[in-house]
Amino acid sequence: MNGVIPLHKEIGLTSSDCVYKLRKILHTKKVGHTGTLDPLVDGVLPICVGQSTKLVNRLTGSPKEYEGEITLGTSTTTEDREGDAVEDIKLEQAFTNEKLQETFTSMIGDLTQIPPMYSAVKVNGKKLYEYARAGLKVERPERQIHLYDFYMMGEPVFEKATGKQTVRFHVRCSKGTYVRTLAVEFGSLLGVPSFMSELTRTQSAGFDLKDTYKLSDIKSMIESEEYGFLKSIDDVLEDLPAHELTDEEWEVNVVHGGFLEFSQYDTKKNLRVTKNNITKAIYKYDPKDSMWKPETMLLNNE
């Protein structure tokens, strides 16, 4: 069984929980996810099965899209609704739509982020949340991220009684972005405490939320011997140019991890090489040797 499952991870499950459950449902050990989603976040989590586990890093590195909600007026220990309140104020009045959108727009582009203490980033071999739970603080490594889009969705809601304002948003961002940290930074730019009160990943590795399957769906389909939930490696890599191998190229070069020499393909892009229209490897151009060299071998893809 080879391919990628566009899973709809539900709230309450960790990404590792999903991998564990799918191993049992599919009766295979070769299962891996393509980017951690916190238990309080739902949405698209592509899962690689069989040969496609070799594509995990490629799929993890693609931009991702989210829709969520920021609450202005309160900050929490975890930067989301799971944590304890750290600072709580009552807003005297709502921020205008113009001010809110202006703040969203100002954050588009390259940003430097410091991962939250309650995260799985490792420092000196331990995860940050382990330090946080022990009441310890450590220096956290900065990371560079990029926001392609960040904008307000719908009308913000202001509750005069509580002095809290909630704002829904859409963001398209690079690998490694902590969206709950964006929510905190957003409030900081407005001069108020804030936290991420809701989040759904709507797109990842080319899969949209509407294309996903829940664990219960997959279990039912397996029982009925239906496998439409499993997307082929060829479908997942369809954005890459393809070269159909000759028998000689396949038997002499690719089977043995050898180099290939082509002049008709864009050397700035990776190239998938196919046999009988099935992807067998991904090649990358090496300008130093003027040759295409194997980057990912998928010889057992059927």
Side-chain angles (χ1 to χ4, degrees), residues 52-266:
S52 73
T53 53
K54 295 179 180 180
L55 303 177
V56 164
N57 288 339
R58 169 180 292 275
L59 299 182
T60 302
S62 65
K64 298 169 178 60
E65 296 184 22
Y66 300 84
E67 291 180 6
E69 180 187 83
I70 300 170
T71 294
L72 302 171
T74 301
S75 62
T76 72
T77 52
T78 57
E79 303 185 349
D80 60 19
R81 68 177 184 271
E82 185 177 36
D84 298 325
V86 175
E87 185 180 1
D88 190 79
I89 66 171
K90 187 173 182 179
L91 303 180
E92 294 182 2
Q93 60 184 18
F95 289 98
T96 65
N97 288 10
E98 291 73 21
K99 182 62 178 178
L100 293 170
Q101 187 54 60
E102 176 188 304
T103 305
F104 279 117
T105 302
S106 73
M107 295 176 70
I108 295 174
D110 295 325
L111 293 175
T112 299
Q113 269 195 342
I114 297 177
M117 280 300 297
Y118 282 88
S119 66
V121 173
K122 286 188 175 181
V123 173
N124 298 324
K126 289 180 65 176
K127 294 176 180 178
L128 284 176
Y129 67 73
E130 293 177 307
Y131 290 108
R133 288 171 181 171
L136 301 173
K137 288 190 176 181
V138 293
E139 187 173 343
R140 291 167 281 169
E142 293 183 345
R143 58 173 60 184
Q144 302 301 312
I145 62 163
H146 186 84
L147 302 192
Y148 302 92
D149 274 315
F150 197 26
Y151 57 83
M152 185 168 64
M153 298 178 63
E155 281 294 314
V157 176
F158 180 66
E159 293 191 9
K160 193 170 182 180
T162 60
K164 300 294 182 280
Q165 187 172 15
T166 54
V167 188
R168 293 201 59 78
F169 67 88
H170 173 276
V171 64
R172 183 170 186 264
C173 53
S174 65
K175 170 189 175 182
T177 301
Y178 277 94
V179 183
R180 52 197 160 111
T181 299
L182 290 180
V184 172
E185 293 167 344
F186 181 83
S188 180
L189 288 172
L190 292 170
V192 298
S194 59
F195 70 96
M196 185 189 74
S197 41
E198 187 181 311
L199 190 66
T200 297
R201 185 192 281 169
T202 58
Q203 201 272 355
S204 180
F207 295 109
D208 293 321
L209 190 59
K210 61 181 175 59
D211 303 320
T212 58
Y213 298 82
K214 294 182 179 179
L215 287 170
S216 57
D217 298 327
I218 296 168
K219 189 173 186 297
S220 296
M221 292 174 77
I222 285 284
E223 291 170 352
S224 301
E225 297 186 355
E226 295 179 35
Y227 297 91
F229 59 84
L230 190 66
K231 308 306 174 184
S232 73
I233 289 175
D234 300 278
D235 287 341
V236 174
L237 298 175
E238 64 180 359
D239 61 316
L240 294 181
H243 172 81
E244 177 68 15
L245 297 163
T246 64
D247 289 341
E248 182 179 356
E249 289 169 341
W250 168 245
E251 294 166 7
V252 176
N253 300 88
V254 176
V255 167
H256 304 290
F259 302 164
L260 294 167
E261 188 173 5
F262 303 122
S263 59
Q264 69 268 43
Y265 298 107
D266 185 349

